[in-house]
Amino acid sequence: MRGRVSVAVCLAVMTVAATLLAATPAQAAQRVDPGFLGIHVPGVQGGLWPTVGVGSVRLWDTDTAWAQVERRPGRYDWRALDSAVATARRNRASILLVLGPTPTWAASRKAPGYDYPVPGAASPPRNVTWWDRYVTKVVTRYKGRIQAYQVWNEASLLNFWNGTPAQMADLTARAYKIVKKIDPKAKVVGASTTTRLVGSYQRFFPPYLRALRSRGWPVDVFAGHFYPPGTGDPADRAALIQLVQRELRRAGAPKRPLWDTESNFGLAGPGTVPYRSITGAKAAAWTGAAYMDSLRLGVSRTYWYAWTSGPYDLLGVQAYPGTPAAKAMGTLDRWLRGARVQRCSSRGAVRACDVVKSGRRATIMWTSGSRVVVAAPAGTKKRCTVRRWCRATKPGASVRLTTSPVWFGR
């Protein structure tokens, strides 16, 4: 983030029997990643933390990147990163730190441009041993306290990376070797790619994957940023996830987790598409649908951008205390933390995931955008919405679904 089509709503109402939702074969229940519900907190280095449960935090826009920690060669200012790590650990959240970008003094290109957060930040370092030195310093200092390191942010965009995909793969491989030597349990997350700008995506991501393959796949996790276009909705976001998954298959990538390390809706662009504010029930519904689509499609973590102390420019869906999105996040945390997913399915516009938590079974259902009437699953005793509204419900009762996830408890 920073420095920076819609699917029409179908109003047709149809009845879908709950038995039709078993569209995928039975499989062993898989544990929901404890860090599944992730978030960005731009004020975390000052002690800000969400008032709802989250499992992981991504440190970006927090004055904690290489360009901000080592502003002069060999001189390290760890204060912001120390504070951010302490806040996250106090709240028992897993930490993902973005390592890049390049400090001005190390940059191979210092001409004025759109580089964020300092001049020259988007360029490769003139000497890669400086990168090695920094990665060694940060991993040594935070061994056992930071659980994952992401190599770079949005390397598909020229204001974040103007080197080649091969150069980024080289930085990735070098970081991987260092991290695994110092802190073998820590994960190395590949450079994230944006997906809604087709030209930028194609210029960077496929060749980056080819370069990673030639280096033996030196990553534990692949990453994308699944912001849809400014006019986009959850269905558009889901399509972008599937785009990246197809690219990974084409590249012959090994079976490793995929994380969405930034997400939201309504951001301006591409082109002349304006910023769009998304509020009220729609904000709660789309926040819930984004996380549930990630679960359904096998995206192990989703980091929402962002939790703030109040309204924040550029974000379509706002998340701060009392907002609909905040309520939805808190609800999803209660539904999914410690749960196991038995299976997820898709039939027409209807999406569903069967989960087990503390021995109790539930089905979470939502749609891709249509309004659809379904029969409450067998054994249902009550249903709840992401806005914390619950009602007793009998099996087979007619329930109208929208993009807003509904929990059917046994």
Side-chain angles (χ1 to χ4, degrees):
M1 187 65 179
R2 285 278 189 94
R4 352 208 204 268
V5 206
S6 178
V7 175
V9 175
C10 173
L11 298 179
V13 176
M14 58 186 179
T15 300
V16 178
T19 54
L20 292 180
L21 295 175
T24 55
Q27 59 189 53
Q30 297 193 3
R31 181 176 179 237
V32 176
D33 187 322
F36 170 73
L37 202 146
I39 203 161
H40 293 76
V41 187
V44 66
Q45 75 275 31
L48 180 67
W49 193 255
T51 55
V52 299
V54 294
S56 57
V57 63
R58 181 175 184 253
L59 300 184
W60 175 251
D61 288 334
T62 49
D63 296 328
T64 55
W66 181 26
Q68 296 152 318
V69 171
E70 192 182 2
R71 292 184 183 273
R72 288 187 288 175
R75 300 287 296 273
Y76 303 95
D77 183 351
W78 301 109
R79 288 174 296 178
L81 187 49
D82 280 348
S83 178
V85 169
T87 299
R89 285 173 56 80
R90 189 162 57 246
N91 288 279
R92 300 182 180 180
S94 175
I95 301 168
L96 169 61
L97 172 67
V98 181
L99 292 169
T102 308
T104 301
W105 62 265
S108 55
R109 184 192 63 79
K110 301 179 185 179
Y114 296 102
D115 302 38
Y116 176 82
V118 298
S123 67
R126 295 196 313 278
N127 188 331
V128 291
T129 62
W130 297 336
W131 166 258
D132 295 348
R133 182 181 66 188
Y134 175 70
V135 175
T136 299
K137 287 282 187 182
V138 73
V139 178
T140 300
R141 183 179 182 88
Y142 297 101
K143 178 181 179 180
R145 292 188 289 162
I146 290 179
Q147 291 73 38
Y149 298 89
Q150 185 166 38
V151 177
W152 216 267
N153 177 73
E154 297 189 346
S156 55
L157 302 182
L158 292 176
N159 57 314
F160 290 118
W161 178 249
N162 54 43
T164 67
Q167 286 174 308
M168 181 54 66
D170 186 47
L171 294 183
T172 303
R174 300 177 79 94
Y176 186 87
K177 182 178 179 180
I178 293 166
V179 171
K180 294 304 175 182
K181 180 179 179 180
I182 299 170
D183 191 357
K185 293 183 179 179
K187 296 183 184 299
V188 176
V189 182
S192 60
T193 179
T194 55
T195 49
R196 66 180 186 164
L197 298 174
V198 177
S200 298
Y201 168 79
Q202 291 294 343
R203 182 179 63 245
F204 173 76
F205 196 58
Y208 178 56
L209 292 181
R210 291 194 294 271
L212 289 179
R213 182 177 58 200
S214 70
R215 290 162 175 78
W217 297 108
V219 292
D220 299 304
V221 178
F222 297 105
H225 286 183
F226 302 115
Y227 293 107
T231 56
D233 62 12
D236 296 311
R237 176 181 174 273
L240 293 175
I241 292 172
Q242 293 170 313
L243 171 71
V244 166
Q245 290 173 326
R246 286 193 297 272
E247 198 68 61
L248 288 168
R249 289 193 296 270
R250 266 196 296 267
K255 188 174 177 59
R256 289 176 189 165
L258 172 63
W259 291 358
D260 180 355
T261 53
E262 273 192 44
S263 224
N264 203 314
F265 296 96
L267 279 69
T272 60
V273 175
Y275 157 81
R276 179 170 57 140
S277 177
I278 300 163
T279 60
K282 181 180 284 189
W286 286 16
T287 302
Y291 281 106
M292 289 307 303
D293 277 328
S294 288
L295 191 70
R296 174 178 67 90
L297 294 170
V299 176
S300 303
R301 294 188 182 184
T302 294
Y303 290 85
W304 195 260
Y305 196 96
W307 184 275
T308 59
S309 57
Y312 191 83
D313 191 21
L314 302 178
L315 305 178
V317 176
Q318 302 285 328
Y320 53 85
T323 58
K327 291 180 180 179
M329 290 175 187
T331 300
L332 288 167
D333 181 64
R334 288 192 296 276
W335 290 353
L336 298 173
R337 188 184 292 261
R340 289 182 176 272
V341 181
Q342 289 187 306
R343 65 185 172 192
C344 290
S345 57
S346 175
R347 175 72 63 154
V350 178
R351 314 290 183 243
C353 287
D354 294 328
V355 300
V356 179
K357 180 175 179 179
S358 302
R360 297 183 61 187
R361 295 177 60 240
T363 298
I364 303 170
M365 300 173 66
W366 69 106
T367 78
S368 61
S370 303
R371 295 179 184 178
V372 179
V373 173
V374 300
T380 296
K381 294 181 179 178
K382 69 174 180 179
R383 70 181 191 271
C384 300
T385 70
V386 291
R387 300 189 79 181
R388 305 179 187 176
W389 172 93
C390 294
R391 172 177 291 179
T393 304
K394 294 181 179 180
S398 295
V399 179
R400 178 171 292 185
L401 288 182
T402 65
T403 52
S404 187
V406 177
W407 178 91
F408 293 89
R410 272 47 164 197

